[in-house]
Amino acid sequence: MSEFKRQHPVAAITRVLDLIRQNFITIIILLFIGTSNTEGYFLYFLMGGLGVALLGGAFGWWVFKYRVYEDELQIRKGIVVRNKLYLSKDRIQVIDITEGLLQRMFGLVKVEVKTAGGGTETATISAISREEAEALRTELRKRKNSFPGEDALTENTEEPEEEVLGTWKLSTKDLVFAAFTSGNFGLIASILGAISGQLDQVINEETIEYIYEAAPGYSNVTVIATLVIVIIIVSWTLSFLGVIFNYSDFRLQKTSKELIITTGLLERKHITVPYDRIQAVRFVEGIIRQPFGYGMVYVESAGFDQTQKGRSIVMAPFMASESLSAFLTEFLPEYGEPAFEISPPKNVLFRYIRRPNYLLLVAIPLLWLLLDYGWLIGLLVPLLGYLGWLRYKDAALAVDESILRMRYRVLSRTVAIVKRNRIQNVDLTKNPFQIRKNIQNLRVTVASGAGGMGFELADINDRDCLNIYNWVVGTNDYDSLKEIDAGQGIEE
């Protein structure tokens, strides 16, 4: 494999499809706006843009070459700016093979080579045959003998396949239940709602009058209510199908060095997570799933998909909360669950209840003045107050010798479990209103994806926050820390 090779020509189409997928929402919105305001000229611009993308994909495929030369994976790519990427075998940690829908149609796979410090996207080979992928992985896993006295022996040795020590699978029943209770439809509904705002460019008065004549008894109110119901049904259906497609045949395997996650119906993903890159574990209970006692388990991994900040890996897409402890004991036994002992003091309860309503209290007078029924927005005050009470009730944290466990709520309730030596920084902040009550906000950050993932609790007692800080930095000089905090601020 010392000669440079090209990918399968399907890689050119894959490049264009990735570009469309990344900008799908923008394209849909522009399509609605452009076709109604430019008398059809927008379609010519759109087709021209698609042609340029296809041409760029073809050139990109032509210049992309790869080979394994001595102890390196070498990749050359770039149309305008030529990029040469050399990855040493010793730095390669993960080699993932994924089957996308288009690749599967042509019997191809995608290979992602991940290193300890390099980005993942630049080491992606989008379309090669499975036989070539297996040969490439075998070649990259070979290591030169490095024992003393064996320098003369330059034969490569292949790392043995890791033995699977444990497996967890998502059952069909749980997959369907997960799809029914997914909270993604809210986001999809908001996107569809934004798009529907442009329907007046497509549906004119003649169309509306035709609907009224065809369906007697309809009014503006019933038409709007029908539109809302249709958006909810379409959103829920898309959300349901999205969960089915993403998590069909989900399987988690444990080896001595890493976790292996395999999932997907149309696009079969294969994700490898080395233990030494895991930074934290999260259990998130959505507002629909929590009453049923279920949630989703995430793992934060440094360097995973470094093109996106704060990208988390789904470790188990649907799990009963009562099963979490046994699950972690089997797959990540070092992530214990110390009992919660610290919570916000009682005198901050009304701060929690008021906080979700701050923006609403400002908006109510304006909406009351500008809209006929703007005062109806005030009906949300008790609902948001209830959300604040839930946040107060759920806020808690605990520590033991090596683990920080935090529970908090935005809408969903989250329990984060962080190893002490994985915490990147601790932020203690307080505003003038908090100083009077001797409370402050505590935020810890771990590495995740291209950036970090933060976990925050509001209105925690000063002493508890400083004790947590003291625990993270490993000092017992609590009095001096308190003195620094009062006079000069804490130096991290």
Side-chain angles (χ1 to χ4, degrees):
M1 199 172 287
S2 59
E3 299 296 327
F4 276 106
K5 302 178 66 175
R6 285 194 176 88
Q7 306 172 90
H8 191 280
V10 167
I13 302 176
T14 302
R15 183 186 176 99
V16 177
L17 293 180
D18 286 342
L19 182 65
I20 294 175
R21 184 173 59 180
Q22 293 168 6
N23 300 278
F24 181 74
I25 300 300
T26 304
I27 292 174
I28 292 297
I29 294 175
L30 291 177
L31 193 60
F32 268 95
I33 298 175
T35 51
S36 57
N37 294 325
T38 60
E39 298 180 352
Y41 290 108
F42 178 78
L43 290 178
Y44 293 105
F45 287 108
L46 188 64
M47 296 301 294
L50 183 60
V52 172
L54 285 171
L55 197 60
F59 274 111
W61 165 78
W62 179 257
V63 299
F64 189 103
K65 299 177 183 178
Y66 70 96
R67 72 173 179 177
V68 178
Y69 184 73
E70 296 184 348
D71 285 338
E72 290 181 335
L73 170 64
Q74 300 180 352
I75 294 177
R76 296 180 179 178
K77 63 179 184 175
I79 301 174
V80 179
V81 179
R82 302 302 300 271
N83 188 355
K84 297 180 181 179
L85 175 66
Y86 298 149
L87 299 181
S88 170
K89 289 182 180 178
D90 294 333
R91 293 179 56 218
I92 293 174
Q93 292 196 350
V94 175
I95 304 171
D96 284 342
I97 297 178
T98 305
E99 300 172 84
L101 178 60
L102 186 62
Q103 285 99 342
R104 292 170 71 176
M105 293 173 61
F106 291 88
L108 305 172
V109 297
K110 178 173 70 176
V111 179
E112 293 178 277
V113 181
K114 304 174 183 178
T115 66
T120 56
E121 187 182 33
T122 53
T124 299
I125 302 172
S126 300
I128 58 177
S129 68
R130 175 166 285 280
E131 292 74 18
E132 290 177 307
E134 294 293 346
L136 177 62
R137 179 161 63 178
T138 300
E139 188 69 25
L140 293 177
R141 282 185 168 178
K142 290 179 179 178
R143 298 285 190 276
K144 283 187 176 182
N145 292 327
S146 55
F147 296 105
E150 294 183 354
D151 292 343
L153 300 176
T154 57
E155 295 181 1
N156 290 328
T157 56
E158 182 180 350
E159 291 185 353
E161 291 290 338
E162 288 288 329
E163 179 184 0
V164 176
L165 304 176
T167 301
W168 182 89
K169 294 181 179 179
L170 181 66
S171 67
T172 303
K173 176 183 175 183
D174 283 347
L175 174 63
V176 174
F177 202 179
F180 267 110
T181 57
S182 173
N184 294 331
F185 74 90
L187 175 62
I188 299 174
S190 63
I191 295 172
L192 291 178
I195 294 175
S196 67
Q198 303 300 322
L199 288 180
D200 58 342
Q201 306 291 338
V202 181
I203 303 176
N204 51 33
E205 293 184 359
E206 294 180 353
T207 306
I208 295 175
E209 290 178 0
Y210 175 79
I211 294 175
Y212 287 163
E213 293 176 359
Y218 267 70
S219 63
N220 290 338
V221 175
T222 54
V223 168
I224 293 174
T226 303
L227 180 61
V228 171
I229 293 173
V230 168
I231 289 176
I232 292 175
I233 293 175
V234 172
S235 303
W236 183 85
T237 303
L238 292 176
S239 172
F240 181 90
L241 294 176
V243 173
I244 295 295
F245 288 151
N246 282 331
Y247 301 120
S248 287
D249 196 19
F250 186 97
R251 184 171 66 250
L252 171 68
Q253 293 177 309
K254 172 187 178 183
T255 69
S256 61
K257 295 182 179 179
E258 58 202 13
L259 296 174
I260 302 171
I261 299 168
T262 308
T263 181
L265 181 61
L266 298 180
E267 184 180 23
R268 195 69 180 153
K269 297 179 180 177
H270 180 97
I271 303 170
T272 306
V273 188
Y275 293 125
D276 57 359
R277 296 174 72 174
I278 294 177
Q279 310 295 307
V281 177
R282 284 189 296 139
F283 183 66
V284 180
E285 298 169 276
I287 56 176
I288 299 177
R289 289 176 179 171
Q290 186 186 348
F292 297 100
Y294 286 89
M296 182 179 289
V297 184
Y298 294 89
V299 61
E300 309 299 336
S301 176
F304 173 73
D305 199 347
Q306 297 181 356
T307 59
Q308 298 190 36
K309 181 180 180 180
R311 181 74 180 270
S312 304
I313 303 171
V314 175
M315 189 176 174
F318 193 73
M319 173 167 292
S321 55
E322 60 186 18
S323 303
L324 179 64
S325 296
F327 176 78
L328 292 177
T329 300
E330 179 178 0
F331 290 94
L332 293 174
E334 66 274 25
Y335 284 83
E337 297 178 276
F340 292 116
E341 296 178 345
I342 302 173
S343 58
K346 294 181 180 179
N347 63 350
V348 302
L349 170 59
F350 286 103
R351 288 180 58 84
Y352 270 83
I353 294 177
R354 290 197 309 265
R355 187 175 289 116
N357 283 301
Y358 285 156
L359 182 60
L360 190 62
L361 292 176
V362 175
I364 286 176
L366 295 176
L367 294 176
W368 197 335
L369 181 65
L370 298 175
L371 302 177
D372 292 337
Y373 297 97
W375 57 272
L376 289 176
I377 196 70
L379 298 178
L380 293 177
V381 172
L383 187 62
L384 293 180
Y386 177 68
L387 174 62
W389 180 79
L390 287 178
R391 289 179 178 177
Y392 173 79
K393 179 184 175 184
D394 290 329
L397 59 85
V399 295
D400 63 11
E401 293 182 356
S402 60
I403 294 294
L404 170 64
R405 185 179 180 214
M406 301 176 67
R407 187 177 67 195
Y408 59 93
R409 175 189 294 273
V410 180
L411 286 177
S412 303
R413 186 169 70 176
T414 299
V415 175
I417 305 174
V418 188
K419 293 179 73 172
R420 173 175 154 180
N421 59 0
R422 297 297 190 183
I423 296 176
Q424 299 292 313
N425 57 60
V426 183
D427 295 325
L428 304 180
T429 59
K430 61 172 68 177
N431 57 46
F433 301 102
Q434 291 175 310
I435 293 175
R436 186 168 54 86
K437 289 181 174 290
N438 297 321
I439 55 175
Q440 52 190 310
N441 300 334
L442 169 68
R443 179 184 176 86
V444 299
T445 304
V446 300
S448 179
M453 174 67 70
F455 312 113
E456 182 171 359
L457 281 179
D459 301 333
I460 302 297
N461 186 280
D462 280 343
R463 177 175 291 274
D464 292 330
C465 287
L466 291 172
N467 277 333
I468 296 298
Y469 176 85
N470 182 34
W471 173 81
V472 172
V473 301
T475 174
N476 295 320
D477 194 3
Y478 171 77
D479 292 334
S480 63
L481 283 173
K482 186 175 181 181
E483 182 179 349
I484 291 172
D485 176 62
Q488 303 175 10
I490 295 175
E491 297 180 0
E492 297 185 6

